[in-house]
Amino acid sequence: MTYTLLNACFLIPAALLAWSARKRIPTGPWLLTAAVLIALTIIFDNIMIGVGLFYYSPETSSGVTIGLMPIEDLSYTVFAVLVLPALWAHLLQPRTDHAARGGGGDRRLVSGGDEQC
């Protein structure tokens, strides 16, 4: 099995999850985070491969590299950048659309007892 095929098994569901949360994830901070994490991954993976901490077999990688790092190594970073904000949006952010309100009147979040936020 190649790294590309293995990564696709994880990145396709991650992309679908991110797509489903796209309206609740702020684009600017998300893109900045993605750019910084991808840049750091490229820098530090090249350093770690260069000093011999790990090795990628040419038989299982695509052969496309950025420096010493195979392009497939970015998939872990891309997965995190896609999944973590999407899970946050789905699990921790309150929904404000019509379906979340049960189709009825104005509902508000409450904290503690009867105090309305």
Side-chain angles (χ1 to χ4, degrees):
M1 177 178 282
T2 64
Y3 292 120
T4 305
L5 181 59
L6 180 63
N7 292 337
C9 294
F10 293 94
L11 288 177
I12 291 170
L16 293 173
L17 181 65
W19 180 259
S20 69
R22 71 190 177 282
K23 292 184 180 180
R24 292 189 280 156
I25 299 173
T27 305
W30 178 79
L31 289 175
L32 178 62
T33 301
V36 168
L37 289 177
I38 288 170
L40 289 171
T41 300
I42 292 169
I43 292 166
F44 287 105
D45 276 15
N46 273 290
I47 291 170
M48 291 186 291
I49 293 168
V51 299
L53 289 178
F54 52 91
Y55 169 79
Y56 286 94
S57 171
E59 294 85 31
T60 55
S61 64
S62 68
V64 178
T65 62
I66 301 173
L68 299 172
M69 181 191 81
I71 194 78
E72 293 92 347
D73 208 22
L74 285 176
S75 63
Y76 310 111
T77 303
V78 171
F79 179 83
V81 165
L82 291 172
V83 169
L84 294 176
L87 286 176
W88 177 76
H90 282 299
L91 300 175
L92 299 177
Q93 284 186 344
R95 294 187 60 186
T96 58
D97 62 359
H98 186 68
R101 292 191 301 265
D106 185 29
R107 297 178 79 188
R108 297 178 186 208
L109 295 174
V110 292
S111 63
D114 293 333
E115 300 173 20
Q116 290 190 357
C117 295

